Amino acid sequence: MRDGKSRSGDGIARPAAALDQAFDTASLHTLRDAVHATARAAGMTGVRATDVQLAVHEIAANVIVHGTGTGRAEVLITDGTLRCQVTDTGDGKAFRAASWSVVPAHGLWLVYKVADHVAITFGPGGAEVTLVFALP
């Protein structure tokens, strides 16, 4: 990994993760701090780094409260962006608002307001939310 890139099983070079952390209820606070520190290290100012922290926290909290209770967050720095990927290995319920027992969409609404791009994908292995923030 001398070039700062990791190699996947298909041999394609991918950016090395600046942060790769599993989370659950007990480690959510640690994740928040790590995401903020990673955003600051990538060159984001205090307010923008806090936007990243808030968005990842909201997605991770959805995984904990509405999904499997555990997930993984990965932050990549590539092509002038900070890309955060949060995964839940359940059925994606954490991001299917119709199944929530509380008023839905407030956290996701906030995420859509602060991130430059949001994508939610559902697959047989669970759900993945990708948040993209432009770097200064």
Side-chain angles (χ1 to χ4, degrees):
M1 199 166 76
R2 291 176 43 185
D3 59 2
K5 301 201 183 250
S6 63
R7 306 268 181 224
S8 66
D10 57 12
I12 297 172
R14 301 211 191 324
L19 175 68
D20 185 0
Q21 183 172 325
F23 64 86
D24 59 14
T25 301
S27 60
L28 185 58
H29 181 74
T30 303
L31 175 65
R32 286 173 48 97
D33 290 346
V35 167
H36 192 265
T38 301
R40 292 294 300 234
M44 294 185 148
T45 62
V47 171
R48 193 65 172 148
T50 300
D51 286 346
V52 174
Q53 177 187 42
L54 177 64
V56 171
H57 168 82
E58 287 297 327
I59 298 300
N62 276 3
V63 169
I64 291 168
V65 174
H66 305 291
T68 61
T70 62
R72 179 168 277 320
E74 185 176 26
V75 179
L76 304 169
I77 301 167
T78 181
D79 299 326
T81 65
L82 186 105
R83 177 179 298 270
C84 307
Q85 293 174 250
V86 180
T87 57
D88 178 19
T89 57
D91 62 3
K93 186 172 104 174
F95 307 106
R96 296 184 197 274
S99 67
W100 294 1
S101 60
V102 296
V103 177
H106 292 113
L108 288 177
W109 174 83
L110 183 62
V111 168
Y112 277 96
K113 289 294 183 187
V114 300
D116 296 324
H117 176 76
V118 178
I120 303 173
T121 55
F122 300 95
E128 179 176 83
V129 178
T130 301
L131 310 172
V132 179
F133 299 85
L135 289 172

